[in-house]
Amino acid sequence: MTEFSQRVERISISGIRKVFEAAGEDAINLGIGQPDFPTPEHARAAAVDAIQSGKADGYTGNKGILPLREAIATKHETDQEISLSPEQIIATAGGSEALHIAMEAHVDDGEEVLIPDPGFVSYDALAKLAGGEPVPVPLREDLTLDPEAVEDAITENTAAFVVNSPGNPTGAVSPEEDIREFARIADEHDVLCISDEVYEYTVFDGEFRSPIEYAETDNVVVVNSASKLFSMTGWRLGWVYGSERRVERMLRVHQYVQACASAPAQYAAEAALSGPRDIVDEMTDSFRERRDLVVDGLTDAGLEVPTPGGAFYAMPEVPEGWVDEVLSRGVIVVPGDAFGEHGAGYARLSYATGTEELKEAIEIMADATRAVR
Ligand SMILES: Cc1ncc(COP(=O)(O)O)c(C=O)c1O
């Protein structure tokens, strides 16, 4: 017998934290993955009301309160023209738990899960916790996930592949033809596509598209969250949706690991989804401006930066020693290899920070680039 499970011994605490700890107290932090906007007032007010009236005192149904699931269904009907019943939705403790239950419900011991590399750190860890084998799929030069690379990596042992557009850590947005391809691959190979759409509302050019719009089978499940859509990371409220039989399997896991998502957060998210959406446009416009500032600044400094089409991250290719040099000059960025082997030679910058700080950080990064070259 070993003291700890082999599953947990296969994962470790994310490398991102270590970078934060290494930097000084007044460092400019381009390491944080959350919008720098307050949660909408009407969402906060709904939570306060739910708490004060006592509505949020007890457990809710395992899937979450009906008005929230109705608001989520309406959202996806409006945004993606998907006809969705509230029964096909589970409210979760953030997109994080949604990813967890999707993996647990679909991945068997030793089965492969194809994940973008570089990709969001949870994919690798959650695939391992479910007993699976993460298989990194390297991205294209423009940092989008190549459907052909996904298709080539599929074996008889593949349970699922993860699509994340707009993506973390890259900010890359897959074009519509690729999204269609992901749906076709899920259908033809009878492999599950887990589509992580938490940055859905932050797309700078063109429209957001989901593989679930094109799939002809039920081989797509969608993960989404109020965290980045409405600047509600602290509330821990996300959701997952798919066919009823898939949702029923995910519910088995959710019921035991979570019981239900936090009730006040459910009321807040319902209000965010049903109320005015000014904050969404405001955030997207503001991130677009900051994206331009960062891309122009880093390009002028001589770095190659694939232009991010969404989210609030940029991922320049950086010379050897660049990340340490930038950190030592008081700007926190995350080394690309924290997101997978193929992230080596890149750095992730989150530009969800004030414009003045961002300008200062760009100057520091330009100086650091000259120093290491
Ligand atoms: C790609 C991606 N998916 C999921 C999540 C999880 O977000 P949350 O659990 O806050 O909804 C994050 C958070 O950074 C993310 O970047």
Side-chain angles (χ1 to χ4, degrees), residues 2-270:
T2 53
E3 194 171 16
F4 300 109
S5 73
Q6 288 175 19
R7 288 186 319 285
V8 84
E9 292 296 5
R10 291 180 71 197
I11 65 174
S12 47
I13 302 292
S14 156
I16 301 181
R17 283 277 136 208
K18 291 184 202 133
V19 179
F20 287 22
E21 282 152 20
E25 259 184 25
D26 28 78
I28 302 177
N29 195 342
L30 306 187
I32 293 187
Q34 65 182 352
D36 58 338
F37 284 81
T39 294
E41 202 48 56
H42 54 279
R44 289 182 179 170
V48 169
D49 174 65
I51 291 167
Q52 285 181 337
S53 67
K55 276 197 296 192
D57 286 350
Y59 293 118
T60 71
N62 294 128
K63 284 184 180 171
I65 56 170
L66 185 60
L68 168 63
R69 287 180 293 121
E70 283 172 344
I72 293 170
T74 304
K75 180 233 165 292
H76 289 293
E77 270 164 19
T78 314
D79 293 339
Q80 279 90 43
E81 294 180 18
I82 286 162
S83 154
L84 198 57
S85 127
E87 285 315 303
Q88 290 171 260
I89 300 163
I90 304 172
T92 56
S96 301
E97 194 223 343
L99 286 168
H100 182 198
I101 65 177
M103 294 270 190
E104 287 290 350
H106 294 97
V107 179
D108 252 327
D109 271 351
E111 283 186 339
E112 292 160 359
V113 180
L114 311 183
I115 60 172
D117 181 0
F120 178 47
V121 290
S122 290
Y123 306 143
D124 177 87
L126 293 175
K128 287 174 178 163
L129 282 179
E133 288 299 329
V135 176
V137 178
L139 304 178
R140 293 180 178 123
E141 221 157 84
D142 67 359
L143 301 181
T144 57
L145 180 64
D146 184 355
E148 213 177 300
V150 171
E151 196 162 23
D152 286 348
I154 290 177
T155 69
E156 292 213 319
N157 212 16
T158 306
F161 64 97
V162 177
V163 171
N164 174 218
S165 168
N168 176 12
T170 60
V173 176
S174 296
E176 183 184 346
E177 62 263 29
D178 289 354
I179 296 291
R180 280 182 189 274
E181 276 293 280
F182 293 131
R184 180 193 61 76
I185 292 167
D187 286 343
E188 276 183 26
H189 294 269
D190 201 17
V191 166
L192 182 71
C193 170
I194 299 174
S195 185
D196 179 345
E197 304 181 357
V198 302
Y199 297 99
E200 175 189 339
Y201 283 164
T202 319
V203 173
F204 303 132
D205 317 292
E207 277 182 36
F208 170 83
R209 295 264 80 99
S210 165
I212 206 164
E213 297 172 55
Y214 307 106
E216 287 169 12
T217 62
D218 75 343
N219 288 347
V220 181
V221 296
V222 172
V223 167
N224 213 325
S225 166
S227 288
K228 326 275 171 157
L229 300 189
F230 302 112
S231 197
M232 294 177 65
T233 50
W235 295 80
R236 310 311 305 132
L237 198 289
W239 59 91
V240 60
Y241 74 88
S243 67
E244 288 200 27
R245 65 188 189 112
R246 295 196 186 280
V247 164
E248 196 270 336
R249 299 313 192 283
M250 293 189 278
L251 187 63
R252 294 183 198 182
V253 186
H254 173 75
Q255 178 179 28
Y256 295 112
V257 299
Q258 186 69 24
C260 65
S262 150
Q266 291 188 48
Y267 287 99
E270 180 208 340

